Amino acid sequence: MEKMWAGRFQKTLDKKADDFNSSIRFDCRMYAQDIKGSIAHAKMLAKQGILSCADVELIIGGLEGILQDIQTGKLLFDENAEDIHMFVEAELTKRIGDAGKRLHTARSRNDQVALDIRLYLRDKAEEVVALTENLVAVVVDKAEETADVIAPAYTHLQRAQPISFGHQLMAYAMMFLRDIGRIRDAVKRMNYSPLGSCALAGTTYPTDRNYVAELLGFDGVTKNSIDGVSDRDFCVELTSAFSILMMHLSRFSEEIILWSSWEFKFVELDDAYTTGSSIMPQKKNSDMAELVRGKTGRVYGDLTALLTMLKGLPLAYNKDMQEDKEATFDALDTVILCLEVFAPMVATMKVYAENTYKAAQKGFINATDLADYLAKKGMPFRTAYKIVGEIVAECIQKDCVLDTYPLEDYQKHSELFEQDLYKEIALETCVEKRNSEGGASPKSVREQTAYVRAELQK
Ligand code: ARG
């Protein structure tokens, strides 16, 4: 196929260089956005009297035909085309003749591609938001189901304090809510039309950029034509939001992998989301969670690729920027893939309340509550903390726990200890009483789930 720009050159492009230069393999996915953008551009050209209504009618009809033929599989992408923009324009000209050659008036591929990516990412970001909302709803359901399940919580992966199991799950719901907010923020900043920036300097034609923006559902137009064509902040911002979302999925995965091990056995993943081993018959592996954890690195890689690609670029457009798409699309595809598997994996996960309870009985996780018991009776907290530390050491020596340590031994440390201490440090009491706002009690978990459900409605 002859290049659009062949007139300027004596020789044709080397085959390898041509393939190297081409982006149709990965930008063809933006075909619908490219066509939608071109239709809006053509309508504006007619409105402004830059093209005749007859030409624009032909252009719109031709573009709609191309869209339909791609969607129905009648028209296949030509691998020899330089990119999706060239492909659509060449196909249009093939179909409608000279009018097709007029479409690119007052436009450049530089503002065209900047427009297409924004349109494409706007649609796809909505999909990621919907999938993340679904995951939040799944986590909230699981948290409600396990609000009364007592479990140990950890710091330094050492048993720390008893909590409602649902409380830990709700921590993830809060993270995912922020992820949704971050994606929406990025989309809000991205939602300005660069079309009309042309190659980099705008145009001498009497265009109406706001009209195009309005037709395409943008909140306005970009205000500087150089920035309009060279800005890829939105790719970085979205991939960064995806990276943070993946970080959260990865931390959650890590916990699920630990919890599924025989050492914990707090949860069991459904057979539909686990795999066996080719040699060890007993194995049930959390491959999905491990893959999500693994793919997080890949999304970080995409973010690093984008940041590094952009950091040395002089204004305005440089071909390096063609690399924006593979990185951003890979991050996007990966996040979507992970969310689609992760949510049903959590939804079908069984929680073993007896095991989490048993684990909570060990590790002196009610020691803080015992210190609080003394402090509430007037002893300074630091003094109480020290006494309880000594008692824990004695318990370890005598191979008992705080709940079975005799009252007379307690009283050797302080006369403030009375029979009621046992009730105060019972796991049920410790968890139930953690009613401070955002605390670990079942009541607080239910408040949190109500809050998150309301947020999801917004
Ligand atoms: N395929 C190109 C890209 O994705 C389109 C823009 C080409 N612009 C140019 N001046 N060569 O970046």
Side-chain angles (χ1 to χ4, degrees), residues 369-380:
D369 298 89
L370 186 60
D372 286 341
Y373 169 85
L374 291 176
K376 282 176 190 166
K377 291 194 169 198
M379 185 184 284

Side-chain angles (χ1 to χ4, degrees), residues 56-156:
V56 169
E57 245 171 64
L58 274 176
I59 290 173
I60 294 174
L63 287 171
E64 282 171 350
I66 293 173
L67 179 64
Q68 209 178 25
D69 290 351
I70 295 176
Q71 277 164 349
T72 55
K74 236 163 83 192
L75 175 63
L76 300 178
F77 298 114
D78 175 4
E79 279 181 20
N80 295 312
E82 191 176 323
D83 53 31
I84 185 63
H85 327 293
M86 294 294 216
F87 172 76
V88 172
E89 190 182 324
E91 181 62 29
L92 181 66
T93 304
K94 209 172 359 166
R95 293 185 180 199
I96 65 166
D98 272 358
K101 295 186 188 168
R102 293 205 164 95
L103 170 63
H104 213 50
T105 312
R107 184 176 75 171
S108 154
R109 265 188 303 159
N110 297 347
D111 56 344
Q112 190 179 356
V113 71
L115 175 85
D116 292 3
I117 317 174
R118 285 168 196 250
L119 287 173
Y120 181 80
L121 291 178
R122 194 173 70 183
D123 293 345
K124 285 298 197 176
E126 248 335 289
E127 202 177 314
V128 178
V129 165
L131 285 167
T132 312
E133 283 175 341
N134 173 56
L135 173 61
V136 173
V138 163
V139 173
V140 166
D141 284 346
K142 222 3 94 177
E144 252 160 22
E145 202 183 294
T146 56
D148 295 308
V149 172
I150 292 175
Y154 298 78
T155 63
H156 312 269

Side-chain angles (χ1 to χ4, degrees), residues 23 27 82-83 85 109-110 113 317 319 321-322 325:
S23 54
D27 62 21
E82 191 176 323
D83 53 31
H85 327 293
R109 265 188 303 159
N110 297 347
V113 71
Y317 178 83
K319 191 72 174 205
M321 287 161 74
Q322 183 163 283
K325 282 170 280 303

Side-chain angles (χ1 to χ4, degrees), residues 369-371 373-374 377 379 384 387-388 391 402 405-422 425:
D369 298 89
L370 186 60
Y373 169 85
L374 291 176
K377 291 194 169 198
M379 185 184 284
I387 289 177
V388 174
I391 294 171
L402 295 175
Y405 195 61
L407 184 60
E408 55 273 25
D409 289 336
Y410 270 120
Q411 284 170 341
K412 281 181 207 147
H413 289 273
S414 164
E415 68 265 19
L416 291 176
F417 281 123
E418 288 171 280
Q419 187 59 38
D420 63 344
L421 80 89
Y422 294 103
I425 64 168

Side-chain angles (χ1 to χ4, degrees), residues 177-192:
L177 265 194
R178 287 197 296 277
D179 290 320
I180 292 170
R182 253 184 292 271
I183 295 169
R184 288 201 168 128
D185 275 357
V187 170
K188 222 183 279 164
R189 247 185 312 284
M190 172 175 78
N191 201 28
Y192 291 87

